[in-house]
Short mmCIF file of all heavy atoms in Angstrom, two decimals:
data_model
loop_
_atom_site.label_atom_id
_atom_site.label_comp_id
_atom_site.label_asym_id
_atom_site.label_seq_id
_atom_site.Cartn_x
_atom_site.Cartn_y
_atom_site.Cartn_z
N MET A 1 -20.24 -158.45 -233.16
CA MET A 1 -20.48 -158.52 -231.72
C MET A 1 -20.54 -157.11 -231.14
O MET A 1 -19.70 -156.26 -231.42
CB MET A 1 -19.34 -159.29 -231.06
CG MET A 1 -19.69 -159.75 -229.66
SD MET A 1 -18.46 -160.92 -229.09
CE MET A 1 -18.70 -160.75 -227.33
N SER A 2 -21.51 -156.85 -230.33
CA SER A 2 -21.63 -155.52 -229.74
C SER A 2 -21.72 -155.65 -228.23
O SER A 2 -22.24 -156.63 -227.70
CB SER A 2 -22.87 -154.81 -230.27
OG SER A 2 -24.01 -155.53 -229.91
N LYS A 3 -21.20 -154.65 -227.56
CA LYS A 3 -21.27 -154.67 -226.11
C LYS A 3 -22.31 -153.69 -225.63
O LYS A 3 -22.64 -152.74 -226.34
CB LYS A 3 -19.92 -154.34 -225.51
CG LYS A 3 -19.47 -152.92 -225.80
CD LYS A 3 -18.16 -152.64 -225.10
CE LYS A 3 -17.73 -151.20 -225.40
NZ LYS A 3 -16.47 -150.88 -224.74
N LYS A 4 -22.77 -153.91 -224.44
CA LYS A 4 -23.80 -153.06 -223.90
C LYS A 4 -23.17 -151.83 -223.27
O LYS A 4 -22.18 -151.94 -222.54
CB LYS A 4 -24.59 -153.83 -222.85
CG LYS A 4 -26.06 -153.49 -222.84
CD LYS A 4 -26.77 -154.42 -221.88
CE LYS A 4 -28.27 -154.33 -222.05
NZ LYS A 4 -28.95 -155.22 -221.09
N THR A 5 -23.76 -150.69 -223.57
CA THR A 5 -23.28 -149.44 -222.98
C THR A 5 -24.37 -148.89 -222.08
O THR A 5 -25.53 -148.85 -222.45
CB THR A 5 -22.98 -148.43 -224.09
OG1 THR A 5 -21.97 -148.97 -224.92
CG2 THR A 5 -22.51 -147.11 -223.51
N VAL A 6 -23.98 -148.48 -220.89
CA VAL A 6 -24.94 -147.91 -219.95
C VAL A 6 -24.82 -146.39 -220.00
O VAL A 6 -23.72 -145.85 -220.00
CB VAL A 6 -24.68 -148.43 -218.52
CG1 VAL A 6 -25.61 -147.75 -217.53
CG2 VAL A 6 -24.87 -149.93 -218.47
N LEU A 7 -25.96 -145.75 -220.05
CA LEU A 7 -25.98 -144.29 -220.04
C LEU A 7 -26.45 -143.80 -218.68
O LEU A 7 -27.49 -144.22 -218.17
CB LEU A 7 -26.93 -143.77 -221.12
CG LEU A 7 -26.56 -144.15 -222.56
CD1 LEU A 7 -27.62 -143.64 -223.51
CD2 LEU A 7 -25.21 -143.60 -222.93
N ALA A 8 -25.65 -142.91 -218.08
CA ALA A 8 -25.97 -142.39 -216.76
C ALA A 8 -26.24 -140.89 -216.84
O ALA A 8 -25.58 -140.17 -217.58
CB ALA A 8 -24.82 -142.66 -215.80
N CYS A 9 -27.19 -140.46 -216.05
CA CYS A 9 -27.52 -139.04 -215.97
C CYS A 9 -26.31 -138.26 -215.46
O CYS A 9 -25.70 -138.62 -214.45
CB CYS A 9 -28.70 -138.86 -215.02
SG CYS A 9 -29.08 -137.14 -214.67
N ALA A 10 -25.97 -137.18 -216.17
CA ALA A 10 -24.81 -136.38 -215.78
C ALA A 10 -25.10 -135.54 -214.55
O ALA A 10 -24.19 -135.03 -213.91
CB ALA A 10 -24.39 -135.49 -216.94
N VAL A 11 -26.37 -135.38 -214.21
CA VAL A 11 -26.74 -134.54 -213.08
C VAL A 11 -26.76 -135.35 -211.78
O VAL A 11 -26.13 -134.99 -210.79
CB VAL A 11 -28.11 -133.88 -213.32
CG1 VAL A 11 -28.55 -133.06 -212.12
CG2 VAL A 11 -28.04 -133.00 -214.57
N CYS A 12 -27.50 -136.47 -211.78
CA CYS A 12 -27.68 -137.22 -210.55
C CYS A 12 -26.94 -138.56 -210.57
O CYS A 12 -26.80 -139.21 -209.55
CB CYS A 12 -29.16 -137.45 -210.26
SG CYS A 12 -29.93 -138.60 -211.40
N GLY A 13 -26.47 -138.96 -211.73
CA GLY A 13 -25.70 -140.19 -211.81
C GLY A 13 -26.52 -141.45 -211.94
O GLY A 13 -25.96 -142.55 -211.98
N SER A 14 -27.84 -141.32 -212.02
CA SER A 14 -28.68 -142.50 -212.18
C SER A 14 -28.43 -143.16 -213.53
O SER A 14 -28.32 -142.48 -214.55
CB SER A 14 -30.15 -142.11 -212.09
OG SER A 14 -30.50 -141.81 -210.77
N ARG A 15 -28.36 -144.48 -213.51
CA ARG A 15 -28.18 -145.21 -214.76
C ARG A 15 -29.53 -145.59 -215.30
O ARG A 15 -30.15 -146.54 -214.84
CB ARG A 15 -27.31 -146.44 -214.49
CG ARG A 15 -25.94 -146.04 -214.04
CD ARG A 15 -25.05 -147.24 -213.81
NE ARG A 15 -23.71 -146.78 -213.44
CZ ARG A 15 -22.63 -147.55 -213.50
NH1 ARG A 15 -22.74 -148.81 -213.87
NH2 ARG A 15 -21.46 -147.07 -213.16
N ASN A 16 -29.99 -144.81 -216.25
CA ASN A 16 -31.36 -144.93 -216.71
C ASN A 16 -31.51 -145.70 -218.00
O ASN A 16 -32.56 -146.25 -218.27
CB ASN A 16 -31.95 -143.54 -216.90
CG ASN A 16 -31.85 -142.70 -215.65
OD1 ASN A 16 -32.22 -143.15 -214.58
ND2 ASN A 16 -31.33 -141.49 -215.77
N TYR A 17 -30.48 -145.72 -218.80
CA TYR A 17 -30.62 -146.28 -220.14
C TYR A 17 -29.43 -147.16 -220.48
O TYR A 17 -28.32 -146.95 -219.99
CB TYR A 17 -30.72 -145.17 -221.18
CG TYR A 17 -31.94 -144.32 -221.03
CD1 TYR A 17 -31.87 -143.13 -220.32
CD2 TYR A 17 -33.16 -144.71 -221.58
CE1 TYR A 17 -32.99 -142.34 -220.15
CE2 TYR A 17 -34.28 -143.93 -221.42
CZ TYR A 17 -34.20 -142.75 -220.71
OH TYR A 17 -35.30 -141.98 -220.54
N SER A 18 -29.69 -148.11 -221.33
CA SER A 18 -28.59 -148.89 -221.88
C SER A 18 -28.80 -148.99 -223.38
O SER A 18 -29.91 -148.97 -223.87
CB SER A 18 -28.53 -150.28 -221.25
OG SER A 18 -29.69 -151.01 -221.57
N THR A 19 -27.71 -149.08 -224.08
CA THR A 19 -27.77 -149.14 -225.53
C THR A 19 -26.65 -150.03 -226.03
O THR A 19 -25.66 -150.24 -225.34
CB THR A 19 -27.66 -147.72 -226.13
OG1 THR A 19 -27.80 -147.82 -227.53
CG2 THR A 19 -26.33 -147.09 -225.80
N ALA A 20 -26.85 -150.55 -227.19
CA ALA A 20 -25.80 -151.37 -227.78
C ALA A 20 -24.87 -150.48 -228.59
O ALA A 20 -25.32 -149.65 -229.36
CB ALA A 20 -26.41 -152.43 -228.68
N SER A 21 -23.59 -150.64 -228.38
CA SER A 21 -22.64 -149.84 -229.14
C SER A 21 -21.62 -150.75 -229.79
O SER A 21 -21.29 -151.81 -229.28
CB SER A 21 -21.95 -148.83 -228.23
OG SER A 21 -21.08 -149.50 -227.35
N LYS A 22 -21.12 -150.31 -230.90
CA LYS A 22 -20.13 -151.11 -231.60
C LYS A 22 -18.76 -150.94 -230.96
O LYS A 22 -18.43 -149.89 -230.43
CB LYS A 22 -20.09 -150.69 -233.07
CG LYS A 22 -21.40 -151.02 -233.75
CD LYS A 22 -21.38 -150.64 -235.21
CE LYS A 22 -22.71 -151.04 -235.85
NZ LYS A 22 -22.86 -150.53 -237.18
N GLU A 23 -18.00 -151.96 -231.04
CA GLU A 23 -16.69 -151.94 -230.38
C GLU A 23 -15.74 -150.94 -230.99
O GLU A 23 -14.80 -150.52 -230.36
CB GLU A 23 -16.07 -153.35 -230.43
CG GLU A 23 -16.91 -154.35 -229.66
CD GLU A 23 -16.04 -155.45 -229.09
OE1 GLU A 23 -14.82 -155.28 -229.04
OE2 GLU A 23 -16.59 -156.48 -228.71
N THR A 24 -16.02 -150.57 -232.20
CA THR A 24 -15.14 -149.62 -232.87
C THR A 24 -15.41 -148.18 -232.42
O THR A 24 -14.64 -147.29 -232.71
CB THR A 24 -15.33 -149.70 -234.40
OG1 THR A 24 -16.71 -149.56 -234.69
CG2 THR A 24 -14.82 -151.00 -234.94
N GLN A 25 -16.50 -148.02 -231.73
CA GLN A 25 -16.85 -146.67 -231.28
C GLN A 25 -15.85 -146.18 -230.24
O GLN A 25 -15.56 -146.85 -229.26
CB GLN A 25 -18.24 -146.71 -230.68
CG GLN A 25 -18.67 -145.34 -230.17
CD GLN A 25 -20.03 -145.44 -229.51
OE1 GLN A 25 -20.85 -146.24 -229.91
NE2 GLN A 25 -20.23 -144.65 -228.48
N THR A 26 -15.34 -144.99 -230.46
CA THR A 26 -14.35 -144.45 -229.54
C THR A 26 -14.87 -143.21 -228.82
O THR A 26 -14.44 -142.92 -227.71
CB THR A 26 -13.05 -144.09 -230.28
OG1 THR A 26 -13.39 -143.24 -231.36
CG2 THR A 26 -12.35 -145.33 -230.78
N ASP A 27 -15.77 -142.51 -229.46
CA ASP A 27 -16.29 -141.30 -228.83
C ASP A 27 -17.25 -141.64 -227.71
O ASP A 27 -17.99 -142.61 -227.78
CB ASP A 27 -17.04 -140.43 -229.86
CG ASP A 27 -16.09 -139.82 -230.87
OD1 ASP A 27 -14.90 -139.69 -230.53
OD2 ASP A 27 -16.53 -139.51 -231.97
N ARG A 28 -17.22 -140.82 -226.69
CA ARG A 28 -18.12 -141.02 -225.57
C ARG A 28 -19.51 -140.50 -225.94
O ARG A 28 -19.65 -139.38 -226.40
CB ARG A 28 -17.57 -140.26 -224.36
CG ARG A 28 -18.11 -140.72 -223.06
CD ARG A 28 -17.17 -140.28 -221.94
NE ARG A 28 -16.58 -141.43 -221.28
CZ ARG A 28 -16.90 -141.78 -220.04
NH1 ARG A 28 -17.71 -141.05 -219.33
NH2 ARG A 28 -16.38 -142.83 -219.51
N LEU A 29 -20.48 -141.33 -225.70
CA LEU A 29 -21.84 -140.94 -226.04
C LEU A 29 -22.36 -139.88 -225.09
O LEU A 29 -22.14 -139.95 -223.89
CB LEU A 29 -22.76 -142.16 -225.96
CG LEU A 29 -22.74 -143.13 -227.13
CD1 LEU A 29 -23.62 -144.32 -226.79
CD2 LEU A 29 -23.24 -142.47 -228.39
N GLU A 30 -23.06 -138.92 -225.65
CA GLU A 30 -23.78 -137.95 -224.82
C GLU A 30 -25.14 -137.73 -225.45
O GLU A 30 -25.24 -137.21 -226.55
CB GLU A 30 -23.02 -136.62 -224.76
CG GLU A 30 -21.99 -136.59 -223.68
CD GLU A 30 -21.54 -135.17 -223.39
OE1 GLU A 30 -22.22 -134.22 -223.80
OE2 GLU A 30 -20.50 -135.02 -222.75
N LEU A 31 -26.16 -138.15 -224.75
CA LEU A 31 -27.51 -138.05 -225.29
C LEU A 31 -28.41 -137.35 -224.29
O LEU A 31 -28.28 -137.53 -223.08
CB LEU A 31 -28.07 -139.45 -225.56
CG LEU A 31 -27.33 -140.28 -226.61
CD1 LEU A 31 -27.90 -141.69 -226.62
CD2 LEU A 31 -27.46 -139.67 -227.98
N LYS A 32 -29.33 -136.57 -224.83
CA LYS A 32 -30.34 -135.96 -223.96
C LYS A 32 -31.48 -136.95 -223.79
O LYS A 32 -32.12 -137.35 -224.76
CB LYS A 32 -30.84 -134.66 -224.58
CG LYS A 32 -30.03 -133.48 -224.15
CD LYS A 32 -30.94 -132.28 -223.88
CE LYS A 32 -30.29 -131.31 -222.90
NZ LYS A 32 -31.24 -130.29 -222.44
N LYS A 33 -31.69 -137.35 -222.55
CA LYS A 33 -32.74 -138.32 -222.24
C LYS A 33 -33.52 -137.83 -221.04
O LYS A 33 -33.01 -137.04 -220.24
CB LYS A 33 -32.10 -139.67 -221.90
CG LYS A 33 -31.33 -140.29 -223.04
CD LYS A 33 -32.22 -141.18 -223.86
CE LYS A 33 -31.41 -142.11 -224.75
NZ LYS A 33 -32.32 -142.91 -225.58
N PHE A 34 -34.70 -138.39 -220.91
CA PHE A 34 -35.50 -138.05 -219.73
C PHE A 34 -35.01 -138.84 -218.53
O PHE A 34 -34.89 -140.06 -218.56
CB PHE A 34 -36.98 -138.36 -219.98
CG PHE A 34 -37.85 -137.97 -218.81
CD1 PHE A 34 -38.22 -136.65 -218.64
CD2 PHE A 34 -38.27 -138.91 -217.91
CE1 PHE A 34 -39.01 -136.27 -217.57
CE2 PHE A 34 -39.06 -138.55 -216.82
CZ PHE A 34 -39.44 -137.23 -216.65
N CYS A 35 -34.69 -138.11 -217.45
CA CYS A 35 -34.29 -138.75 -216.20
C CYS A 35 -35.45 -138.67 -215.22
O CYS A 35 -35.89 -137.58 -214.87
CB CYS A 35 -33.07 -138.05 -215.62
SG CYS A 35 -32.59 -138.71 -214.02
N LYS A 36 -35.95 -139.81 -214.80
CA LYS A 36 -37.11 -139.79 -213.91
C LYS A 36 -36.71 -139.35 -212.50
O LYS A 36 -37.54 -138.89 -211.73
CB LYS A 36 -37.79 -141.15 -213.86
CG LYS A 36 -36.93 -142.26 -213.31
CD LYS A 36 -37.71 -143.57 -213.35
CE LYS A 36 -36.85 -144.72 -212.84
NZ LYS A 36 -37.57 -146.01 -212.96
N THR A 37 -35.44 -139.48 -212.18
CA THR A 37 -34.97 -139.02 -210.88
C THR A 37 -34.94 -137.50 -210.82
O THR A 37 -35.36 -136.88 -209.85
CB THR A 37 -33.57 -139.58 -210.59
OG1 THR A 37 -33.61 -141.00 -210.73
CG2 THR A 37 -33.12 -139.24 -209.19
N CYS A 38 -34.44 -136.89 -211.89
CA CYS A 38 -34.40 -135.43 -211.98
C CYS A 38 -35.76 -134.86 -212.39
O CYS A 38 -36.04 -133.70 -212.14
CB CYS A 38 -33.34 -135.00 -212.99
SG CYS A 38 -31.66 -135.43 -212.51
N GLY A 39 -36.55 -135.66 -213.06
CA GLY A 39 -37.85 -135.21 -213.51
C GLY A 39 -37.80 -134.33 -214.74
O GLY A 39 -38.76 -133.62 -215.04
N THR A 40 -36.69 -134.37 -215.44
CA THR A 40 -36.54 -133.55 -216.64
C THR A 40 -35.54 -134.19 -217.58
O THR A 40 -34.91 -135.20 -217.24
CB THR A 40 -36.09 -132.13 -216.26
OG1 THR A 40 -36.09 -131.32 -217.43
CG2 THR A 40 -34.70 -132.14 -215.66
N HIS A 41 -35.39 -133.59 -218.73
CA HIS A 41 -34.40 -134.10 -219.67
C HIS A 41 -33.02 -133.60 -219.27
O HIS A 41 -32.83 -132.42 -219.01
CB HIS A 41 -34.72 -133.64 -221.10
CG HIS A 41 -35.82 -134.43 -221.73
ND1 HIS A 41 -37.15 -134.21 -221.44
CD2 HIS A 41 -35.78 -135.44 -222.62
CE1 HIS A 41 -37.88 -135.07 -222.14
NE2 HIS A 41 -37.09 -135.84 -222.87
N THR A 42 -32.08 -134.52 -219.22
CA THR A 42 -30.71 -134.16 -218.88
C THR A 42 -29.77 -134.88 -219.85
O THR A 42 -30.18 -135.77 -220.58
CB THR A 42 -30.37 -134.62 -217.44
OG1 THR A 42 -30.47 -136.03 -217.37
CG2 THR A 42 -31.29 -133.97 -216.42
N VAL A 43 -28.53 -134.48 -219.80
CA VAL A 43 -27.52 -135.16 -220.60
C VAL A 43 -27.18 -136.49 -219.94
O VAL A 43 -26.97 -136.55 -218.72
CB VAL A 43 -26.25 -134.29 -220.73
CG1 VAL A 43 -25.14 -135.07 -221.42
CG2 VAL A 43 -26.57 -133.03 -221.52
N HIS A 44 -27.17 -137.53 -220.73
CA HIS A 44 -26.77 -138.84 -220.24
C HIS A 44 -25.48 -139.24 -220.93
O HIS A 44 -25.36 -139.13 -222.14
CB HIS A 44 -27.86 -139.87 -220.50
CG HIS A 44 -29.02 -139.73 -219.56
ND1 HIS A 44 -29.87 -138.67 -219.57
CD2 HIS A 44 -29.44 -140.55 -218.56
CE1 HIS A 44 -30.79 -138.82 -218.62
NE2 HIS A 44 -30.55 -139.96 -217.99
N ARG A 45 -24.54 -139.71 -220.14
CA ARG A 45 -23.24 -140.06 -220.69
C ARG A 45 -22.96 -141.54 -220.53
O ARG A 45 -23.43 -142.18 -219.59
CB ARG A 45 -22.13 -139.28 -219.96
CG ARG A 45 -22.19 -137.79 -220.25
CD ARG A 45 -20.86 -137.15 -219.98
NE ARG A 45 -20.95 -135.70 -220.17
CZ ARG A 45 -21.08 -134.83 -219.17
NH1 ARG A 45 -21.09 -135.26 -217.93
NH2 ARG A 45 -21.17 -133.55 -219.42
N GLU A 46 -22.17 -142.00 -221.45
CA GLU A 46 -21.75 -143.40 -221.42
C GLU A 46 -20.92 -143.67 -220.17
O GLU A 46 -20.08 -142.89 -219.76
CB GLU A 46 -20.90 -143.63 -222.67
CG GLU A 46 -20.38 -145.02 -222.80
CD GLU A 46 -19.51 -145.17 -224.04
OE1 GLU A 46 -19.41 -144.20 -224.80
OE2 GLU A 46 -18.96 -146.24 -224.22
N THR A 47 -21.18 -144.80 -219.55
CA THR A 47 -20.37 -145.23 -218.42
C THR A 47 -19.71 -146.56 -218.77
O THR A 47 -20.06 -147.19 -219.76
CB THR A 47 -21.22 -145.43 -217.16
OG1 THR A 47 -22.10 -146.52 -217.37
CG2 THR A 47 -21.99 -144.18 -216.83
N LYS A 48 -18.80 -147.01 -217.94
CA LYS A 48 -18.15 -148.30 -218.18
C LYS A 48 -19.06 -149.45 -217.75
O LYS A 48 -19.72 -149.34 -216.75
CB LYS A 48 -16.85 -148.37 -217.40
CG LYS A 48 -15.79 -147.54 -218.05
CD LYS A 48 -14.48 -147.65 -217.29
CE LYS A 48 -13.46 -146.71 -217.89
NZ LYS A 48 -12.23 -146.73 -217.09
ZN1 LIG B 101 -30.85 -137.43 -213.21
#
């Protein structure tokens, strides 16, 4: 069973992406993704 993880832009806070993560995962995800609000690639972090 996996839960859905939402990734939010660290710059503007927009929630642009969601991904499935395993429940055993403890580290906070940080991925570089394109943010259409910022218009560039920014770091996206896992949110609750
Ligand atoms: Zn952004």
Side-chain angles (χ1 to χ4, degrees):
M1 196 168 158
S2 62
K3 65 177 180 180
K4 216 173 192 181
T5 299
V6 176
L7 298 177
C9 173
V11 177
C12 70
S14 287
R15 297 182 177 197
N16 304 311
Y17 296 95
S18 64
T19 184
S21 70
K22 294 181 178 171
E23 296 210 16
T24 53
Q25 179 183 328
T26 53
D27 291 336
R28 200 160 244 250
L29 281 175
E30 274 196 16
L31 297 173
K32 270 220 155 191
K33 297 269 196 183
F34 183 80
C35 176
K36 63 182 178 183
T37 306
C38 296
T40 186
H41 282 79
T42 62
V43 173
H44 285 68
R45 292 202 184 100
E46 180 182 356
T47 66
K48 285 182 185 175

